[in-house]
């Protein structure tokens, strides 16, 4: 299958109101003149982005305010996006985390995380993949997972579980689709400097090499999707860490990660309970 060309294509991005999704939207508009479908809950932010990108680049943006934790909103995203014009690429990037003891997480917060990070993603992939196959334009889908989907992450236990689901789901589905003209890419960043890290005790890692700059991460993600990589981990440091974890016992890696995150929790007035 040929590499994708995003130029003047129409790409849907979930989680476009902030962080990685916002950075990918800007890059696609400014560099590729791609038309965009911007999805998130915060309509004001999406409308601001639409005005900025349409004004500066001449592309057209469709805004869909949707809470992807709600099944009816997920269905509406597909219906409204495809009714307004042909979609070529789909970037399923919206996600939430909980940093702290799993046992301190409200059950309702876990349910919302599962619905957003997992159920909405599987539903949208299940709707868009047959659609893209039928259109026959050689488009693709990218699922934004995390290195937390490749390794256990104490104090982000539920999040790591959701991302492990996404990683396995995407890689398995990609194999099912081998030889068909639609690619499935799973993008697995390490820490990124976004609201997800800044607005939590993960800001402990701010200004360290452990957080990747959001624009470079967005570039890496779009490049992986364009090349139709099955799985991509951006950044040399992340890839080196991943390689090291393959050489060491998983138990040791889990201990080291847990110790580091425990320190971050303590530094941020610790939500941690002593066991
Ligand atoms: N930051 C990191 O260190 C890191 C590392 C690896 C992977 N990732 C992954 O990268 C993706 C983007 O995260 P980010 O770092 O850019 O975080 P972010 O700045 O907090 O952005 C998250 C985006 O997801 C949207 N979102 C969250 N819940 C939603 C819901 N129920 N319905 C619709 N949209 C929802 C948010 O929009 P609204 O609030 O407006 O709805 C926002 O646009 C996530 O999948 C995350 O797991 C992040």
């Amino acid at each position: 299958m040929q590499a994708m060309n995003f130029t003047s294509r129409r790409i849907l991005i979930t989680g476009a109101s902030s962080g990685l999704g916002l950075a990918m939207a800007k890059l696609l508009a400014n560099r590729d003149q791609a038309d965009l479908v911007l999805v998130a809950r915060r309509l004001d932010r999406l409308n601001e982005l639409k005005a900025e990108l349409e004004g500066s680049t001449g592309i057209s943006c469709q805004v869909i305010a949707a809470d992807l934790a709600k099944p009816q909103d997920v269905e509406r995203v597909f219906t409204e996006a495809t009714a307004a014009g042909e979609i070529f690429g789909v970037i399923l990037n919206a996600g939430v985390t909980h940093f702290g003891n799993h046992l301190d997480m409200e059950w309702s917060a876990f349910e919302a995380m599962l619905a957003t990070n997992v159920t909405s993603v599987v539903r949208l992939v299940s709707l868009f993949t047959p659609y893209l196959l039928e259109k026959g334009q050689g488009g693709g889908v990218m699922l934004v997972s995390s290195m937390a989907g490749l390794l256990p992450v104490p104090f982000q236990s539920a999040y790591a579980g959701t991302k492990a689901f996404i990683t396995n789901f995407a890689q398995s589905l990609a194999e099912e689709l081998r030889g068909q003209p639609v690619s499935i890419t799973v993008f697995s960043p390490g820490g990124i400097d976004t609201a997800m890290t800044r607005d939590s005790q993960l800001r402990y890692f701010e200004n360290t090499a452990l957080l990747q700059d959001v624009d470079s991460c967005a570039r890496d993600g779009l490049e992986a999707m364009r090349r139709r990589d099955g799985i991509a981990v951006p950044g040399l440091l992340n890839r080196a860490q991943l390689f090291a974890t393959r050489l060491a016992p998983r138990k040791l890696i889990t201990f080291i990660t847990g110790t580091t995150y425990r320190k971050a929790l303590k530094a941020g007035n610790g939500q941690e309970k002593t066991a």
Side-chain angles (χ1 to χ4, degrees):
M1 227 188 312
Q2 274 188 337
M4 259 184 261
N5 182 353
F6 299 126
T7 308
S8 304
R9 295 290 198 166
R10 194 156 167 268
I11 316 280
L12 179 140
I13 307 175
T14 68
S17 61
S18 168
L20 184 60
L22 175 70
M24 288 194 286
K26 287 187 174 179
L27 204 52
L28 282 166
N30 290 316
R31 191 190 60 187
D32 302 304
Q33 284 75 51
D35 291 329
L36 300 172
V37 184
L38 307 170
V39 181
R41 290 166 300 186
R42 285 171 288 180
L43 181 60
D44 53 338
R45 288 194 175 211
L46 296 180
N47 280 333
E48 266 172 41
L49 182 61
K50 172 184 164 74
E52 177 192 327
L53 296 181
E54 287 185 344
S56 62
T57 66
I59 63 143
S60 90
C61 290
Q62 180 186 8
V63 159
I64 305 180
D67 182 350
L68 297 172
K70 297 182 176 156
Q72 65 276 23
D73 281 23
V74 177
E75 302 298 312
R76 185 168 54 76
V77 166
F78 176 74
T79 313
E80 288 184 7
T82 52
E86 187 172 330
I87 301 280
F88 175 76
V90 178
I91 300 175
L92 300 173
N93 158 79
V96 286
T97 190
H98 167 83
F99 184 51
N101 287 286
H102 173 71
L103 298 182
D104 290 338
M105 189 179 183
E106 294 291 336
W107 186 246
S108 57
F110 171 71
E111 287 183 316
M113 179 190 284
L114 192 62
T116 307
N117 292 11
V118 175
T119 311
S120 81
V121 175
V122 176
R123 183 62 181 148
L124 288 172
V125 169
S126 306
L127 290 167
F128 274 111
T129 306
Y131 166 91
L132 294 173
L133 283 168
E134 194 209 311
K135 293 293 171 195
Q137 296 294 311
V141 181
M142 180 161 75
L143 294 77
V144 176
S145 183
S146 167
M147 274 175 70
L150 298 165
L151 299 165
V153 185
F155 306 108
Q156 283 193 293
S157 301
Y159 175 76
T162 65
K163 293 302 186 179
F165 182 111
I166 290 305
T167 304
N168 277 313
F169 170 69
Q171 288 195 280
S172 306
L173 180 62
E175 179 57 29
E176 287 181 31
L177 292 172
R178 179 186 289 277
Q180 304 219 46
V182 166
S183 51
I184 306 284
T185 296
V186 60
F187 183 52
S188 302
I192 321 167
D193 186 10
T194 66
M196 184 176 275
T197 42
R198 258 178 272 130
D199 298 349
S200 75
Q201 279 141 320
L202 290 170
R203 69 179 171 274
Y204 175 75
F205 300 110
E206 216 173 2
N207 301 323
T208 70
L210 292 173
L211 291 189
Q212 187 179 9
D213 164 70
V214 70
D215 293 321
S216 83
C217 190
R219 266 194 304 280
D220 290 344
L222 290 178
E223 185 53 19
M225 183 178 180
R226 193 190 67 76
R227 282 194 311 251
R228 303 181 187 279
D229 290 352
I231 182 163
V233 174
L236 261 182
L237 184 64
N238 290 332
R239 288 196 292 276
Q241 276 181 338
L242 202 59
F243 180 72
T245 63
R246 294 202 175 118
L247 305 176
R250 200 167 160 94
K251 201 173 163 186
L252 176 65
I253 298 303
T254 312
F255 171 74
I256 293 170
T257 311
T259 304
T260 311
Y261 275 54
R262 199 174 266 118
K263 274 192 203 151
L265 276 169
K266 278 190 180 143
N269 294 329
Q271 300 164 3
E272 190 195 9
K273 276 183 197 154
T274 42

